[in-house]
Amino acid sequence: MRQRDEVLSSLSPEQIVSTLEACSLEDKQEFTEDEAARIEYCRSLVEQQSKSYKQAAAQMKRQDKSTQHITESEPEAELLDISELLARASKQCKTRIPLAEVVQILDNCGLPDKDEYTSLESDRFLEACKLIKQQNKSYEEVATHFGINNGLPDTSMQQVENIVETMATNADALTDELLQQSAEAKALNDAQKYMVYYAKAAAEGQQVQEFWARLREHAQSRLTGKSPARLIRAEPEANFILQSSPNSSDSSPTSENGTTSE
């Protein structure tokens, strides 16, 4: 227990009256820990979030309604896991409830996402499923039915899903386009490299072939005993002979022993 002066000491008389009224509490000398926490929460809404006392009272009442049945417990209450809960809901609604909708239904009927649910929580979930699947209620209408204010318009979740789906589709298309561009660029680059290598190899190959042809002719000439003049023409490397000037006095033919004939 906490004393009144401790809980309300910093408030003016007007603030005390407004705060207790918003919290649905009476003015008394002692408050429980839960009541004191409720008063502190109300003050945080007013002072930190700039809520009016009326807005703070409405928000606290919504939370009270959403947690009223959740916090209650029954002796030896039956607990259902999520798969059993889904099976029971699908049987009641006579239609399959996809797992993708479970979180939305839980959120809009004020239930947390957990492993097991009490019978009261199960009844709450089943009621929400019935409203959606059999009465075609929107998520906003279901949230209103259970006093939950998610702060989102009715179509917001569907819009979010559509945006996510569109982004995923665009991402896939962009990935395919980038892969195609990368493949085309690589193919073009490889083709250009191939042409360069091919041209170089073709040029070098022609020179090599000419060299081997000349060398083959030279070897054949030696083996068949051809004249030295033909052998010279068959040499791989060109031989250059300097011609004498027509006006030179040494234009006489030279004999085999190196003397010039008179």
Side-chain angles (χ1 to χ4, degrees):
M1 301 294 291
R2 297 177 62 179
Q3 297 298 315
R4 179 183 185 279
D5 293 340
E6 178 185 356
V7 177
L8 304 174
S9 59
S10 60
L11 304 179
S12 67
E14 293 78 12
Q15 290 176 326
I16 292 175
V17 172
S18 298
T19 300
L20 293 176
E21 182 179 354
C23 295
S24 300
L25 295 174
E26 296 180 357
D27 193 357
K28 50 187 178 180
Q29 294 302 315
E30 290 184 336
F31 295 94
T32 65
E33 291 296 333
D34 290 340
E35 291 172 339
R38 186 178 181 85
I39 292 173
E40 291 173 356
Y41 177 65
C42 179
R43 295 309 308 169
S44 69
L45 293 175
V46 173
E47 297 173 0
Q48 298 177 13
Q49 300 185 29
S50 301
K51 301 282 187 180
S52 66
Y53 287 104
K54 184 177 181 179
Q55 290 173 331
Q59 182 167 334
M60 297 176 73
K61 287 179 180 178
R62 284 195 299 268
Q63 291 181 345
D64 291 342
K65 188 174 181 180
S66 65
T67 59
Q68 179 179 1
H69 296 296
I70 299 175
T71 55
E72 293 179 359
S73 61
E74 296 177 310
E76 300 179 359
E78 179 186 12
L79 294 178
L80 298 178
D81 61 30
I82 188 62
S83 60
E84 294 173 330
L85 188 59
L86 275 179
R88 183 172 295 186
S90 298
K91 183 178 180 180
Q92 172 185 280
C93 298
K94 298 180 181 179
T95 183
R96 178 179 173 273
I97 300 177
L99 287 174
E101 294 184 22
V102 172
V103 174
Q104 292 178 333
I105 297 174
L106 290 172
D107 185 53
N108 285 278
C109 69
L111 290 174
D113 183 10
K114 56 183 182 179
D115 295 331
E116 292 182 329
Y117 296 87
T118 66
S119 60
L120 290 175
E121 292 171 333
S122 301
D123 292 340
R124 190 182 185 89
F125 180 79
L126 294 175
E127 183 181 358
C129 292
K130 183 178 179 180
L131 291 171
I132 293 172
K133 296 299 182 180
Q134 294 184 339
Q135 300 183 24
N136 297 321
K137 298 292 185 181
S138 66
Y139 288 118
E140 182 183 24
E141 291 173 327
V142 173
T144 302
H145 175 79
F146 290 103
I148 307 300
N149 181 16
N150 290 328
L152 294 174
D154 180 33
T155 58
S156 62
M157 289 305 300
Q158 185 62 42
Q159 290 174 348
V160 170
E161 292 176 357
N162 292 339
I163 292 173
V164 171
E165 183 177 356
T166 301
M167 290 176 62
T169 302
N170 291 340
D172 291 341
L174 179 60
T175 299
D176 292 341
E177 182 179 355
L178 291 176
L179 288 175
Q180 181 179 354
Q181 291 178 357
S182 177
E184 291 174 352
K186 188 176 186 302
L188 179 60
N189 186 50
D190 290 345
Q192 292 173 342
K193 287 182 179 179
Y194 177 85
M195 295 302 298
V196 171
Y197 295 152
Y198 180 86
K200 183 178 180 182
E204 293 177 351
Q206 183 178 4
Q207 294 175 1
V208 170
Q209 290 174 5
E210 291 177 354
F211 170 78
W212 284 111
R214 293 168 59 191
L215 183 62
R216 188 182 300 108
E217 183 181 356
H218 175 71
Q220 288 176 350
S221 298
R222 285 185 177 275
L223 291 174
T224 57
K226 291 186 178 181
S227 65
R230 294 187 62 185
L231 291 177
I232 290 173
R233 288 196 302 271
E235 287 292 336
E237 298 294 333
N239 293 318
F240 299 94
I241 301 175
L242 296 176
Q243 299 294 331
S244 300
S245 171
N247 299 326
S248 174
S249 59
D250 295 334
S251 60
S252 301
T254 305
S255 64
E256 293 181 357
N257 59 6
T259 61
T260 303
S261 60
E262 293 294 327

